[in-house]
Amino acid sequence: MEEKRYQYYLDDDHYLLSYVHDVYSYRYHWHDDMYELHIILTGSMEFVREGQKYRLKPDDVIIVSPGMGHATFALEPQTATLVLRFSANAFEEFLQKDYSCRFDFVSDATDRQMVRYTHVRFYCALLLQALAADDLFSGKIVRHAFGLLLVTLYTSFEAERNDIYQPKNRNIPDRLIQDVIQYIDDNYTKKISLGELTEQFNYNRTYISTFFKKNVGMKFYDYLTRTRFSAAVWDLTTTDLSLTKIALYNGFPDLKTFNRLFQEMFHLTPAEYRQKLAITMTELPHEYWNVKELSEPNIKSKLDEYIGRVNV
């Protein structure tokens, strides 16, 4: 299926990327060069951001600021979300030089229908439909809608916004943390200890531990466990391997430990997860998500609903 991811460059330094995708399994990651805004369209999902878990339902909105670790995990089949990514320097005209915005808002049942969230959904739906139309007026709509979205985010979410000093020459994460992450990604199937990292990278244990938590937003062992879960969940949804083999192949010492940690993380057992989100190999895309057509009835109706709720 052709990927329907729509990208637009406002200029050489500012861009947008938007699409709708199915949410499948857990994958922890972060982006240093962009914001990522999610609007849940169908189903329900667990969203992990900086170690905090949120259960999101249709119409919920959550933003991930640059550098924030995050992951998504579908809690039921046919869970889909609208995603808007945009440049980390998008708010520069609102800020002093070398400052950036860090948002931490997320909606729930108590406020998801408030005006500010209604406006965010409106602008994001309008942006996506304009990007997909790609006609004579698309560029004008995209630029105006995106500008109004930025104003809404900056002014309506002031309580959930921190303006932080972040010079452009600052390298986050720097070479050390990149190397540590790469080492974990290459060796998560084996037994890895914090002591091993100190020997590998020639820093003392306290420094590595503190540095890792500061830059990744979680402890070393938490990140290692989530990296293992990322691979294990993929195996659960795409193979018929036994649970014991999946546990051992992905670095867990035994099935009992795998079951316990999995239930603590996802609030259901590996077997329950496999049964709930059983997807065949042919149905799953190469990556952890699958981009959807905007013409699908349930997607189109949601986008039309968001646009129709606001009078401009």
Side-chain angles (χ1 to χ4, degrees), residues 94-107:
F94 301 100
L95 301 163
Q96 300 178 55
K97 183 180 178 182
D98 291 335
Y99 274 77
S100 64
C101 291
R102 185 178 176 92
F103 296 93
D104 62 1
F105 64 79
V106 55
S107 67

Side-chain angles (χ1 to χ4, degrees), residues 3 101 105 168 242 282 311:
E3 286 193 359
C101 291
F105 64 79
K168 291 183 179 180
S242 70
T282 57
N311 295 317

Side-chain angles (χ1 to χ4, degrees), residues 87-243:
S87 311
N89 57 355
F91 295 96
E92 61 185 1
E93 65 180 299
F94 301 100
L95 301 163
Q96 300 178 55
K97 183 180 178 182
D98 291 335
Y99 274 77
S100 64
C101 291
R102 185 178 176 92
F103 296 93
D104 62 1
F105 64 79
V106 55
S107 67
D108 58 28
T110 66
D111 65 358
R112 67 170 66 104
Q113 300 307 331
M114 289 180 65
V115 171
R116 61 179 186 168
Y117 284 115
T118 300
H119 285 168
V120 169
R121 289 190 293 266
F122 168 74
Y123 293 129
C124 288
L126 191 64
L127 276 168
L128 181 54
Q129 289 196 344
L131 289 168
D134 193 24
D135 58 23
L136 181 64
F137 304 103
S138 293
K140 293 183 181 296
I141 295 172
V142 168
R143 288 175 176 273
H144 285 293
F146 184 60
L148 290 169
L149 174 64
L150 293 183
V151 171
T152 299
L153 295 175
Y154 189 80
T155 59
S156 298
F157 295 90
E158 188 173 5
E160 297 91 351
R161 190 192 86 227
N162 288 312
D163 298 341
I164 58 175
Y165 181 64
Q166 195 169 34
K168 291 183 179 180
N169 62 358
R170 186 181 174 195
N171 188 8
I172 301 177
D174 72 4
R175 190 68 220 171
L176 172 60
I177 203 64
Q178 291 180 34
D179 289 344
V180 171
I181 292 297
Q182 188 62 55
Y183 185 81
I184 294 172
D185 290 346
D186 291 341
N187 295 279
Y188 70 88
T189 60
K190 307 170 186 175
K191 184 177 180 180
I192 306 177
S193 67
L194 195 54
E196 182 179 340
L197 291 183
T198 64
E199 294 179 6
Q200 180 73 24
F201 296 100
N202 246 353
Y203 289 93
N204 69 56
R205 183 187 184 98
T206 301
Y207 179 82
I208 287 282
S209 178
T210 303
F211 187 82
F212 193 94
K213 189 175 190 309
K214 179 180 178 181
N215 285 275
V216 181
M218 64 176 65
K219 297 177 181 178
F220 156 71
Y221 286 109
D222 290 337
Y223 181 86
L224 174 60
T225 299
R226 287 173 178 171
T227 301
R228 288 169 171 165
F229 276 141
S230 176
V233 166
W234 181 251
D235 287 342
L236 280 169
T237 54
T238 61
T239 76
D240 58 0
L241 289 171
S242 70
L243 297 181

